[in-house]
Amino acid sequence: MSPFDYARAENVADALRLRSAPAAAYLGGGTNLVDLMRETVERPRSLVDVTGLSAAIEETPAGGMVIGAAAKNTALAEHHTVRARYPMLSRAILAGASAQIRNMATVGGNLLQRTRCAYFYDTDGSRCNKRSPGSGCDAIGGFNRGHAILGASSQCVATQPSDMCVAFAALDAVVHLERAGSKRTLPFVELHRLPGDHPEIDTVLEPGELITAVELPALPIASNSTYRKVRDRASYAFALVSVAAALKVTDGRISDVRIALGGVAHRPWRALKAEMVLRGKPPGDQSFRDAAIAELADARPLSDNGFKIPLATRTLVAVLGELAGGAA
């Protein structure tokens, strides 16, 4: 690990001021950034500790929720309103990492964690365009069982590792951002980039921009929602495929639906094609399968991960079938 300076921000203005130093980085719980620093993938010259900023989890007057970026993952997963109104979010968080890591990790940090591609972490012998732009991507012709089948490019086939982010994408969350002299909000689904020709750039954040909160809209359909993660072992494993979904059935027809997929792309994948297929259709395995096929029609599997297409199809059908049982 390279030497670095450390400072703790007392408020947002303080964080933005400290972050203006050359090669500075924000530090939340450190559950990803510190790992990357140990492996010398990341080499910030100074760390700005933002864990003292807002960790509040509050209801909004409109019936939604605002979650401070410094809120711990465990606190969010266990919040009674989240569990009642947005169960997919609670279940997604509990599916991630270990209890010890969830106790440390922050919501803002979770949004910015980087891929867990082994080639990205291997600084000694692997080519990785995300780590070293222009060097090549050894995953494309290498071991790529866990890599992307949607939205990848010739430069990068890595997947985004977060479980929480998949739920936020399905829930139409909004990210609150702040930088010196300005504030803005951004639909969550626009936060993360597909790799294109610049896989080293994970998000659309401006230099020094700070995530201050995530807002969830009032979304009645979310009370009938869930998250399912398919992985190689029962704990502390990243998703091969995951599904966050919410479903509403009215008079025997699907009147509303929200779906996002994890483990399949460089960002949480909002399944808009599947949603479009399902609206107005009767719930059932055939409708659910048709929706999955439509969403995965553009999938481009690699040498080792073609199994993700039927796995994602079966998982989506199973999750929607489960929700249809309680959708009325």
Side-chain angles (χ1 to χ4, degrees):
M1 184 183 290
S2 302
F4 59 90
D5 296 326
Y6 168 88
R8 181 177 171 84
E10 298 298 327
N11 50 50
V12 171
D14 197 26
L16 294 174
R17 177 183 62 81
L18 291 167
R19 178 62 176 78
S20 64
Y26 291 125
L27 175 70
T31 56
N32 183 215
L33 178 57
V34 173
D35 283 346
L36 292 170
M37 292 171 65
R38 287 192 186 114
E39 300 295 331
T40 67
V41 175
E42 299 277 5
R43 298 183 181 185
R45 281 188 258 166
S46 61
L47 295 180
V48 180
D49 187 334
V50 292
T51 55
L53 305 187
S54 176
I57 303 171
E58 300 174 327
E59 296 184 50
T60 66
M65 298 192 75
V66 172
I67 305 152
K72 297 298 178 68
N73 289 11
T74 295
L76 183 58
E78 294 181 349
H79 195 280
H80 61 91
T81 303
V82 173
R83 293 173 65 184
R85 296 186 190 172
Y86 308 95
M88 74 159 72
L89 178 57
S90 179
R91 292 168 189 171
I93 296 169
L94 294 174
S98 65
Q100 294 90 338
I101 289 177
R102 294 194 298 269
N103 288 343
M104 285 294 297
T106 63
V107 169
N110 188 288
L111 271 55
L112 297 179
Q113 64 179 298
R114 307 203 71 189
T115 184
R116 303 305 171 121
C117 173
Y119 298 103
F120 175 68
Y121 274 80
D122 181 14
T123 58
D124 292 329
S126 296
R127 298 178 304 154
C128 174
N129 288 318
K130 180 177 282 295
R131 186 185 69 247
S132 180
S135 63
C137 175
D138 279 344
I140 291 176
F143 183 68
N144 47 47
R145 181 171 177 271
H147 288 68
I149 57 173
L150 291 167
S153 74
S154 61
Q155 302 297 307
C156 183
V157 293
T159 55
Q160 211 273 350
S162 173
D163 294 289
M164 179 192 294
C165 287
V166 182
F168 278 147
L171 291 170
D172 294 327
V174 173
V175 185
H176 290 241
L177 304 169
E178 192 162 342
R179 59 186 301 204
S182 67
K183 298 180 182 180
R184 65 170 175 146
T185 58
L186 183 71
F188 187 86
V189 292
E190 296 179 12
L191 175 64
H192 299 95
R193 296 179 65 257
L194 291 178
D197 292 332
H198 291 282
E200 74 279 9
I201 305 172
D202 290 334
T203 72
V204 299
L205 295 183
E206 299 292 338
E209 200 164 30
L210 176 66
I211 297 173
T212 58
V214 178
E215 184 173 353
L216 296 174
L219 199 63
I221 186 179
S223 62
N224 186 50
S225 69
T226 194
Y227 181 80
R228 185 174 298 189
K229 179 178 183 177
V230 182
R231 47 189 165 175
D232 284 327
R233 55 185 184 273
S235 66
Y236 205 64
F238 297 99
L240 294 169
V241 167
S242 65
V243 174
L247 188 71
K248 181 180 179 182
V249 176
T250 305
D251 297 329
R253 299 275 173 174
I254 296 170
S255 53
D256 200 3
V257 61
R258 300 285 193 282
I259 303 169
L261 305 177
V264 297
H266 200 257
R267 67 184 182 195
W269 190 266
R270 181 66 182 266
L272 295 174
K273 293 178 182 177
E275 293 177 10
M276 185 165 50
V277 168
L278 286 169
R279 288 191 176 93
K281 298 291 178 61
D285 283 359
Q286 188 58 56
S287 296
F288 302 153
R289 191 172 293 107
D290 289 345
I293 290 170
E295 191 62 50
L296 297 165
D298 293 330
R300 297 293 180 266
L302 301 164
S303 57
D304 298 325
N305 69 357
F307 71 93
K308 285 194 175 188
I309 297 175
L311 180 61
T313 300
R314 292 195 301 269
T315 305
L316 182 56
V317 170
V319 167
L320 292 174
E322 174 187 336
L323 293 174

